[in-house]
Amino acid sequence: MEHGATTGTSGNRVEAARLPRRGGRNPGVLARAVVPALVAALALAGCQAGLPDLEPGRTPSATADAPTTPDPEPTTTGPSAEPTTEPEPSPAETETPEPTPDPEPSTPPPAPEPTPDPPPAPEEPAELARGATGERVVALQQRLADLGYFIGAPDGDFGPGTQQAVWALQKAAGLSRDGVVGPATQAALDQGVAPQPRSGSGKVVEIDLDRQLLLAVEDGRVVTVVNASSGNGESYEAKGRTYRATTPRGTFHVGRQVDGNHSSSLELGDMWRPKFFTGGIAVHGSGSIPPWPASHGCVRVANSAMNWLWDSWHADPGTTVLVY
């Protein structure tokens, strides 16, 4: 059996739900209890579903039978009070795109290898000694020749002839006779050190035993200074007799001479182109002329110097030989 509609406040009608009759309860009472509860539930949900459209300008009011309920809050059409949660970005938006790899640079051609600088020229030694070559040796040889020391034509080769001239310079300067052109020898060169003669006239072969030098002198002027080696003062045996290796001092003259190689009568060795000036003592050429006394009494000079005395300077027989 259906229950009729109830009339709400201000003439609004709400269709009552059809409720079955139970246990002899009064239908009117049940309807009055259910309808207000339903209206209150719909109001709290903010929804008008199941209710007829309200007329414009009119606000529904509770029925006299229903308990007073607060008006439902109007439904807002604007944005809700709660901040709208931003939508989760899609996987496509969150994925960071992989960077595109840069193209590999093309391999540049190898740079040309730099041309190595030529090695620096070796520095010339501060000192000059036998075996040295070059312009400094040429300058040395020319300076020795200018000072009157016996030496061949400058050739830039510090050989035995240059060494003989350096020894003669060192003897004249009173330096150590090492044959090396160091600071002291160079200073003697720069100062123009040369021995002075003792004779004042004529052509004279002067032999300085203290400094072991032979001077070719003309009218008190030294023409050439030659490295020499005289008797060493030691005793020696020859043909069963004992002799002392001394060179006598005094004034003599060239007597007998041999133009070539001559063997000693005492079997003491060979002499090159000797010029005898007293007994068996002569000035002669030799292959060994050290810077100190080393002979048996003769005066040794280089073979080239002996040739000069014969062929260029002409120390003929009768030439004075002054030994001091």
Side-chain angles (χ1 to χ4, degrees), residues 201-249:
S201 62
K203 179 179 285 187
V204 181
V205 176
E206 294 190 10
I207 300 172
D208 186 338
L209 296 180
D210 294 336
R211 293 190 287 185
Q212 294 289 286
L213 293 173
L214 182 149
L215 312 179
V217 182
E218 292 183 5
D219 298 328
R221 180 179 62 89
V222 177
V223 176
T224 301
V225 182
V226 182
N227 182 55
S229 177
S230 64
N232 59 17
E234 298 178 1
S235 298
Y236 64 93
E237 297 289 331
K239 289 186 176 184
R241 294 182 63 179
T242 301
Y243 300 89
R244 184 171 294 276
T246 59
T247 303
R249 300 173 185 266

Side-chain angles (χ1 to χ4, degrees), residues 113-121:
E113 295 184 1
T115 303
D117 295 333

Side-chain angles (χ1 to χ4, degrees), residues 81-94:
E82 294 290 334
T84 304
T85 303
E86 296 183 0
E88 293 288 336
S90 63
E93 294 176 350
T94 59

Side-chain angles (χ1 to χ4, degrees), residues 59-118:
T59 303
S61 61
T63 62
D65 297 332
T68 304
T69 59
D71 294 336
E73 295 181 4
T75 303
T76 57
T77 59
S80 63
E82 294 290 334
T84 304
T85 303
E86 296 183 0
E88 293 288 336
S90 63
E93 294 176 350
T94 59
E95 291 182 1
T96 303
E98 295 184 1
T100 304
D102 296 333
E104 295 184 2
S106 59
T107 303
E113 295 184 1
T115 303
D117 295 333

Side-chain angles (χ1 to χ4, degrees), residues 44-316:
L44 290 174
C47 178
Q48 295 178 354
L51 298 178
D53 293 339
L54 300 179
E55 293 180 10
R58 301 187 64 180
T59 303
S61 61
T63 62
D65 297 332
T68 304
T69 59
D71 294 336
E73 295 181 4
T75 303
T76 57
T77 59
S80 63
E82 294 290 334
T84 304
T85 303
E86 296 183 0
E88 293 288 336
S90 63
E93 294 176 350
T94 59
E95 291 182 1
T96 303
E98 295 184 1
T100 304
D102 296 333
E104 295 184 2
S106 59
T107 303
E113 295 184 1
T115 303
D117 295 333
E123 295 183 2
E124 294 185 355
E127 298 180 342
L128 292 177
R130 186 166 176 173
T133 59
E135 293 301 320
R136 291 179 62 200
V137 177
V138 172
L140 166 66
Q141 292 168 333
Q142 187 61 57
R143 179 60 174 167
L144 289 168
D146 293 342
L147 293 176
Y149 293 93
F150 181 81
I151 191 172
D155 59 3
D157 183 7
F158 197 131
T162 302
Q163 185 182 53
Q164 289 285 317
V166 171
W167 277 336
L169 169 68
Q170 291 175 333
K171 290 176 177 181
L175 301 175
S176 175
R177 305 169 185 181
D178 59 4
V180 177
V181 182
T185 302
Q186 184 62 52
L189 277 171
D190 296 340
Q191 294 167 10
V193 173
Q196 298 301 312
R198 292 198 180 180
S199 62
S201 62
K203 179 179 285 187
V204 181
V205 176
E206 294 190 10
I207 300 172
D208 186 338
L209 296 180
D210 294 336
R211 293 190 287 185
Q212 294 289 286
L213 293 173
L214 182 149
L215 312 179
V217 182
E218 292 183 5
D219 298 328
R221 180 179 62 89
V222 177
V223 176
T224 301
V225 182
V226 182
N227 182 55
S229 177
S230 64
N232 59 17
E234 298 178 1
S235 298
Y236 64 93
E237 297 289 331
K239 289 186 176 184
R241 294 182 63 179
T242 301
Y243 300 89
R244 184 171 294 276
T246 59
T247 303
R249 300 173 185 266
T251 301
F252 311 95
H253 296 85
V254 174
R256 185 170 63 96
Q257 59 184 16
V258 178
D259 190 4
N261 198 44
H262 176 71
S263 295
S264 168
S265 59
L266 294 178
E267 299 177 353
L268 299 175
D270 294 338
M271 298 179 282
W272 175 248
R273 301 180 81 176
K275 289 181 177 286
F276 294 91
F277 57 89
T278 180
I281 306 298
V283 176
H284 66 83
S286 172
S288 174
I289 308 93
W292 55 80
S295 77
H296 293 96
C298 291
V299 179
R300 299 181 191 176
V301 296
N303 289 338
S304 57
M306 198 65 210
N307 291 338
W308 180 83
L309 289 172
W310 269 81
D311 304 331
S312 298
W313 198 58
H314 301 290
D316 298 332

